[in-house]
Amino acid sequence: MYKRDDGRAACPSCGEALAEIEEIDDDIEATGYVNVVKTDDRSVAKELGVTTFPSLVYYRRKNPILYDGEFGDSEVVLRWLRSHEEVATWDLTDDNFEKLTDSHSPDEGTLDWFVMFYNAENSACHSYVALWETVAHKLRGLVNVGKVEMGVNDDVSERFHVEKGDCPTFLL
């Protein structure tokens, strides 16, 4: 949970959002694998691409997902968290790209792929990862959504003529 409390500007809805999250934090933490933490550290928010406050980021298996709903109903937030337990974004690498995407000879009826190429060393580019996971959940069942970290997957990046400076790059 990210709230603005840095003396720059008041955030009237931050207190209300925090109260809604606190209503369900026991339910969330009862799962045994999710901890609720709040911060006002703007550097963390910036790294994740958080630009509006309050914000909720769910880390699932080290992948941040930005909540894009309203905070007025704690049960809606809890349903959103539960709906995001499944990974929706595939990590594509030089080793698994062809096998997963079947890009040279796709079978008829299979879902297309929407792939983001990003550079983890570029903080502005890397901040798109959380947003990309949110997009993946919204597109589930329509297309497969993947991401390629360009710094360690040179073969795939070169194959699609994606340069590190062209970050992020989205291909369908």
Side-chain angles (χ1 to χ4, degrees):
M1 176 85 193
Y2 294 93
K3 62 187 186 72
R4 184 177 214 153
D5 190 21
D6 59 3
R8 291 185 185 182
C11 177
S13 57
C14 287
E16 296 165 12
L18 188 56
E20 290 295 327
I21 297 302
E22 287 175 348
E23 279 188 33
I24 59 172
D25 69 352
D26 290 339
D27 294 331
I28 295 168
E29 291 181 353
T31 63
Y33 60 89
V34 177
N35 294 313
V36 177
V37 178
K38 64 182 177 183
T39 184
D40 58 5
D41 185 339
R42 293 186 53 79
S43 67
V44 173
K46 183 178 179 181
E47 180 180 320
L48 292 170
V50 171
T51 58
T52 59
F53 299 90
S55 290
L56 175 69
V57 179
Y58 172 37
Y59 280 89
R60 191 202 53 249
R61 296 181 190 102
K62 299 181 183 179
N63 290 309
I65 307 166
L66 295 174
Y67 175 64
D68 60 351
E70 297 295 322
F71 287 97
D73 185 348
S74 59
E75 290 302 315
V76 171
V77 176
L78 186 58
R79 279 194 302 275
W80 178 85
L81 285 166
R82 289 182 175 150
S83 75
H84 285 77
E85 290 176 354
E86 178 185 317
V87 175
T89 305
W90 293 84
D91 287 315
L92 302 172
T93 67
D94 289 341
D95 295 330
N96 71 11
F97 188 89
E98 188 56 43
K99 179 181 176 193
L100 291 175
T101 64
D102 198 23
S103 62
H104 285 298
S105 58
D107 296 328
E108 188 162 329
T110 59
L111 295 177
D112 289 330
W113 280 84
F114 196 13
V115 179
M116 176 181 76
F117 290 80
Y118 71 100
N119 182 355
E121 295 172 5
N122 177 328
S123 62
C125 183
H126 190 261
S127 68
Y128 282 89
V129 172
L131 181 60
W132 195 238
E133 186 68 24
T134 303
V135 168
H137 277 275
K138 291 185 180 290
L139 295 177
R140 196 175 2 192
L142 300 173
V143 294
N144 292 309
V145 177
K147 63 183 188 276
V148 175
E149 206 282 278
M150 293 186 291
V152 294
N153 296 290
D154 296 336
D155 294 343
V156 175
S157 300
E158 288 175 16
R159 175 177 168 190
F160 291 98
H161 308 287
V162 178
E163 302 291 329
K164 282 187 181 180
D166 302 332
C167 186
T169 297
F170 302 92
L171 298 178
L172 180 63

